[in-house]
């Protein structure tokens, strides 16, 4: 049996990098027969990872039991939108912290100005 590894990083010709890998199916996992594809650093895949982002250091890998680049494109798009949303939240939080710091600086300047009169 084969698994299909889709990598967002290292895109070729504007498309995902797709690696096929021969596996042996077990009750809860797929064990890689020879070598894992470049960029995947385990010798097995849990069945609950199929169709979701793999639990790896690099979360830009989706593993399927069949070729389905359209599904993968949709999943990557959803992930990218979520990443953008989280980044916007971090930016908004940082802007609030800057405002708090500026308020503190303003208060210090006022306090120093009152003490010099």
């Amino acid at each position: 049996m084969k698994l299909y590894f889709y990598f967002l990083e290292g895109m070729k010709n504007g498309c995902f990098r797709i690696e096929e890998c021969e596996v042996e199916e077990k009750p809860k996992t797929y064990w890689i027969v020879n070598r894992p594809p470049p960029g995947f650093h385990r010798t097995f895949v849990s069945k609950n990872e199929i169709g979701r982002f793999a639990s790896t250091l690099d979360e830009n890998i989706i593993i399927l039991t069949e070729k389905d680049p359209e599904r993968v494109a949709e999943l990557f798009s959803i992930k990218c939108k979520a990443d953008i949303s989280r980044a916007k939240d971090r930016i908004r939080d940082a802007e609030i912290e800057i405002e708090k710091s500026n308020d503190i600086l303003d208060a210090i300047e006022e306090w120093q100005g009152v003490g010099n009169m």
Side-chain angles (χ1 to χ4, degrees), residues 98-114:
I98 289 171
E99 288 178 22
K100 288 178 184 176
S101 296
N102 288 338
D103 291 344
I104 291 169
L105 290 172
D106 290 344
I108 291 170
E109 285 179 14
E110 285 181 34
W111 175 76
Q112 289 175 339
V114 171

PDB file of all heavy atoms in Angstrom, residues 98-114:
ATOM      1  N   ILE A  98       2.160  48.304  23.366  1.00  0.00           N
ATOM      2  CA  ILE A  98       2.861  49.562  23.043  1.00  0.00           C
ATOM      3  C   ILE A  98       2.090  50.741  23.622  1.00  0.00           C
ATOM      4  O   ILE A  98       2.685  51.655  24.211  1.00  0.00           O
ATOM      5  CB  ILE A  98       3.043  49.706  21.508  1.00  0.00           C
ATOM      6  CG1 ILE A  98       4.080  48.706  21.015  1.00  0.00           C
ATOM      7  CG2 ILE A  98       3.446  51.131  21.143  1.00  0.00           C
ATOM      8  CD1 ILE A  98       4.165  48.620  19.500  1.00  0.00           C
ATOM      9  N   GLU A  99       0.774  50.741  23.459  1.00  0.00           N
ATOM     10  CA  GLU A  99      -0.048  51.825  24.012  1.00  0.00           C
ATOM     11  C   GLU A  99       0.109  51.904  25.530  1.00  0.00           C
ATOM     12  O   GLU A  99       0.237  52.998  26.092  1.00  0.00           O
ATOM     13  CB  GLU A  99      -1.519  51.613  23.656  1.00  0.00           C
ATOM     14  CG  GLU A  99      -1.847  51.872  22.197  1.00  0.00           C
ATOM     15  CD  GLU A  99      -3.304  51.593  21.864  1.00  0.00           C
ATOM     16  OE1 GLU A  99      -4.162  51.610  22.786  1.00  0.00           O
ATOM     17  OE2 GLU A  99      -3.580  51.358  20.676  1.00  0.00           O
ATOM     18  N   LYS A 100       0.115  50.751  26.212  1.00  0.00           N
ATOM     19  CA  LYS A 100       0.301  50.735  27.665  1.00  0.00           C
ATOM     20  C   LYS A 100       1.665  51.318  28.033  1.00  0.00           C
ATOM     21  O   LYS A 100       1.776  52.099  28.984  1.00  0.00           O
ATOM     22  CB  LYS A 100       0.178  49.316  28.207  1.00  0.00           C
ATOM     23  CG  LYS A 100      -1.223  48.762  28.193  1.00  0.00           C
ATOM     24  CD  LYS A 100      -1.229  47.332  28.714  1.00  0.00           C
ATOM     25  CE  LYS A 100      -2.587  46.692  28.642  1.00  0.00           C
ATOM     26  NZ  LYS A 100      -2.546  45.277  29.074  1.00  0.00           N
ATOM     27  N   SER A 101       2.699  50.924  27.287  1.00  0.00           N
ATOM     28  CA  SER A 101       4.043  51.446  27.553  1.00  0.00           C
ATOM     29  C   SER A 101       4.088  52.944  27.336  1.00  0.00           C
ATOM     30  O   SER A 101       4.700  53.682  28.119  1.00  0.00           O
ATOM     31  CB  SER A 101       5.076  50.760  26.650  1.00  0.00           C
ATOM     32  OG  SER A 101       5.150  49.401  26.952  1.00  0.00           O
ATOM     33  N   ASN A 102       3.441  53.441  26.284  1.00  0.00           N
ATOM     34  CA  ASN A 102       3.404  54.878  26.017  1.00  0.00           C
ATOM     35  C   ASN A 102       2.657  55.616  27.125  1.00  0.00           C
ATOM     36  O   ASN A 102       3.065  56.715  27.515  1.00  0.00           O
ATOM     37  CB  ASN A 102       2.775  55.156  24.655  1.00  0.00           C
ATOM     38  CG  ASN A 102       3.691  54.763  23.516  1.00  0.00           C
ATOM     39  OD1 ASN A 102       4.900  54.659  23.673  1.00  0.00           O
ATOM     40  ND2 ASN A 102       3.108  54.534  22.353  1.00  0.00           N
ATOM     41  N   ASP A 103       1.575  55.033  27.637  1.00  0.00           N
ATOM     42  CA  ASP A 103       0.848  55.639  28.753  1.00  0.00           C
ATOM     43  C   ASP A 103       1.739  55.747  29.986  1.00  0.00           C
ATOM     44  O   ASP A 103       1.713  56.761  30.695  1.00  0.00           O
ATOM     45  CB  ASP A 103      -0.415  54.837  29.082  1.00  0.00           C
ATOM     46  CG  ASP A 103      -1.490  54.932  28.002  1.00  0.00           C
ATOM     47  OD1 ASP A 103      -1.406  55.847  27.147  1.00  0.00           O
ATOM     48  OD2 ASP A 103      -2.412  54.082  28.017  1.00  0.00           O
ATOM     49  N   ILE A 104       2.516  54.720  30.238  1.00  0.00           N
ATOM     50  CA  ILE A 104       3.442  54.741  31.371  1.00  0.00           C
ATOM     51  C   ILE A 104       4.486  55.838  31.165  1.00  0.00           C
ATOM     52  O   ILE A 104       4.797  56.608  32.086  1.00  0.00           O
ATOM     53  CB  ILE A 104       4.102  53.362  31.570  1.00  0.00           C
ATOM     54  CG1 ILE A 104       3.058  52.345  32.048  1.00  0.00           C
ATOM     55  CG2 ILE A 104       5.277  53.446  32.552  1.00  0.00           C
ATOM     56  CD1 ILE A 104       3.518  50.904  32.031  1.00  0.00           C
ATOM     57  N   LEU A 105       5.035  55.932  29.957  1.00  0.00           N
ATOM     58  CA  LEU A 105       6.024  56.979  29.673  1.00  0.00           C
ATOM     59  C   LEU A 105       5.409  58.368  29.848  1.00  0.00           C
ATOM     60  O   LEU A 105       6.050  59.275  30.401  1.00  0.00           O
ATOM     61  CB  LEU A 105       6.583  56.815  28.264  1.00  0.00           C
ATOM     62  CG  LEU A 105       7.494  55.609  28.042  1.00  0.00           C
ATOM     63  CD1 LEU A 105       7.817  55.458  26.552  1.00  0.00           C
ATOM     64  CD2 LEU A 105       8.763  55.734  28.864  1.00  0.00           C
ATOM     65  N   ASP A 106       4.172  58.562  29.391  1.00  0.00           N
ATOM     66  CA  ASP A 106       3.489  59.840  29.558  1.00  0.00           C
ATOM     67  C   ASP A 106       3.309  60.163  31.036  1.00  0.00           C
ATOM     68  O   ASP A 106       3.531  61.307  31.476  1.00  0.00           O
ATOM     69  CB  ASP A 106       2.126  59.828  28.863  1.00  0.00           C
ATOM     70  CG  ASP A 106       2.237  59.818  27.338  1.00  0.00           C
ATOM     71  OD1 ASP A 106       3.331  60.131  26.809  1.00  0.00           O
ATOM     72  OD2 ASP A 106       1.222  59.478  26.672  1.00  0.00           O
ATOM     73  N   ALA A 107       2.921  59.169  31.811  1.00  0.00           N
ATOM     74  CA  ALA A 107       2.730  59.372  33.254  1.00  0.00           C
ATOM     75  C   ALA A 107       4.056  59.734  33.916  1.00  0.00           C
ATOM     76  O   ALA A 107       4.098  60.613  34.787  1.00  0.00           O
ATOM     77  CB  ALA A 107       2.126  58.117  33.886  1.00  0.00           C
ATOM     78  N   ILE A 108       5.123  59.105  33.527  1.00  0.00           N
ATOM     79  CA  ILE A 108       6.445  59.418  34.095  1.00  0.00           C
ATOM     80  C   ILE A 108       6.846  60.842  33.742  1.00  0.00           C
ATOM     81  O   ILE A 108       7.330  61.595  34.602  1.00  0.00           O
ATOM     82  CB  ILE A 108       7.499  58.402  33.594  1.00  0.00           C
ATOM     83  CG1 ILE A 108       7.233  57.026  34.210  1.00  0.00           C
ATOM     84  CG2 ILE A 108       8.915  58.880  33.909  1.00  0.00           C
ATOM     85  CD1 ILE A 108       8.052  55.912  33.618  1.00  0.00           C
ATOM     86  N   GLU A 109       6.628  61.241  32.494  1.00  0.00           N
ATOM     87  CA  GLU A 109       6.960  62.613  32.081  1.00  0.00           C
ATOM     88  C   GLU A 109       6.149  63.627  32.875  1.00  0.00           C
ATOM     89  O   GLU A 109       6.673  64.657  33.301  1.00  0.00           O
ATOM     90  CB  GLU A 109       6.717  62.784  30.577  1.00  0.00           C
ATOM     91  CG  GLU A 109       7.775  62.130  29.713  1.00  0.00           C
ATOM     92  CD  GLU A 109       7.500  62.300  28.224  1.00  0.00           C
ATOM     93  OE1 GLU A 109       6.651  63.123  27.844  1.00  0.00           O
ATOM     94  OE2 GLU A 109       8.159  61.583  27.435  1.00  0.00           O
ATOM     95  N   GLU A 110       4.840  63.365  33.066  1.00  0.00           N
ATOM     96  CA  GLU A 110       4.009  64.266  33.858  1.00  0.00           C
ATOM     97  C   GLU A 110       4.523  64.351  35.285  1.00  0.00           C
ATOM     98  O   GLU A 110       4.611  65.428  35.875  1.00  0.00           O
ATOM     99  CB  GLU A 110       2.552  63.795  33.855  1.00  0.00           C
ATOM    100  CG  GLU A 110       1.813  64.068  32.567  1.00  0.00           C
ATOM    101  CD  GLU A 110       0.376  63.616  32.628  1.00  0.00           C
ATOM    102  OE1 GLU A 110      -0.255  63.688  33.732  1.00  0.00           O
ATOM    103  OE2 GLU A 110      -0.121  63.170  31.590  1.00  0.00           O
ATOM    104  N   TRP A 111       4.847  63.231  35.870  1.00  0.00           N
ATOM    105  CA  TRP A 111       5.336  63.182  37.242  1.00  0.00           C
ATOM    106  C   TRP A 111       6.647  63.952  37.360  1.00  0.00           C
ATOM    107  O   TRP A 111       6.839  64.738  38.302  1.00  0.00           O
ATOM    108  CB  TRP A 111       5.531  61.724  37.662  1.00  0.00           C
ATOM    109  CG  TRP A 111       6.142  61.574  39.019  1.00  0.00           C
ATOM    110  CD1 TRP A 111       5.517  61.748  40.207  1.00  0.00           C
ATOM    111  CD2 TRP A 111       7.495  61.238  39.284  1.00  0.00           C
ATOM    112  NE1 TRP A 111       6.407  61.545  41.227  1.00  0.00           N
ATOM    113  CE2 TRP A 111       7.645  61.218  40.684  1.00  0.00           C
ATOM    114  CE3 TRP A 111       8.606  60.956  38.493  1.00  0.00           C
ATOM    115  CZ2 TRP A 111       8.844  60.941  41.302  1.00  0.00           C
ATOM    116  CZ3 TRP A 111       9.803  60.668  39.111  1.00  0.00           C
ATOM    117  CH2 TRP A 111       9.906  60.651  40.497  1.00  0.00           C
ATOM    118  N   GLN A 112       7.560  63.771  36.396  1.00  0.00           N
ATOM    119  CA  GLN A 112       8.820  64.500  36.412  1.00  0.00           C
ATOM    120  C   GLN A 112       8.597  65.997  36.225  1.00  0.00           C
ATOM    121  O   GLN A 112       9.279  66.817  36.834  1.00  0.00           O
ATOM    122  CB  GLN A 112       9.768  63.973  35.342  1.00  0.00           C
ATOM    123  CG  GLN A 112      10.321  62.600  35.636  1.00  0.00           C
ATOM    124  CD  GLN A 112      11.164  62.024  34.509  1.00  0.00           C
ATOM    125  OE1 GLN A 112      11.046  62.441  33.367  1.00  0.00           O
ATOM    126  NE2 GLN A 112      11.996  61.053  34.847  1.00  0.00           N
ATOM    127  N   GLY A 113       7.631  66.362  35.394  1.00  0.00           N
ATOM    128  CA  GLY A 113       7.333  67.770  35.187  1.00  0.00           C
ATOM    129  C   GLY A 113       6.774  68.433  36.423  1.00  0.00           C
ATOM    130  O   GLY A 113       7.103  69.567  36.735  1.00  0.00           O
ATOM    131  N   VAL A 114       5.929  67.724  37.190  1.00  0.00           N
ATOM    132  CA  VAL A 114       5.346  68.259  38.423  1.00  0.00           C
ATOM    133  C   VAL A 114       6.426  68.416  39.466  1.00  0.00           C
ATOM    134  O   VAL A 114       6.463  69.400  40.200  1.00  0.00           O
ATOM    135  CB  VAL A 114       4.207  67.340  38.926  1.00  0.00           C
ATOM    136  CG1 VAL A 114       3.744  67.745  40.310  1.00  0.00           C
ATOM    137  CG2 VAL A 114       3.049  67.333  37.948  1.00  0.00           C
TER     138      VAL A 114
END
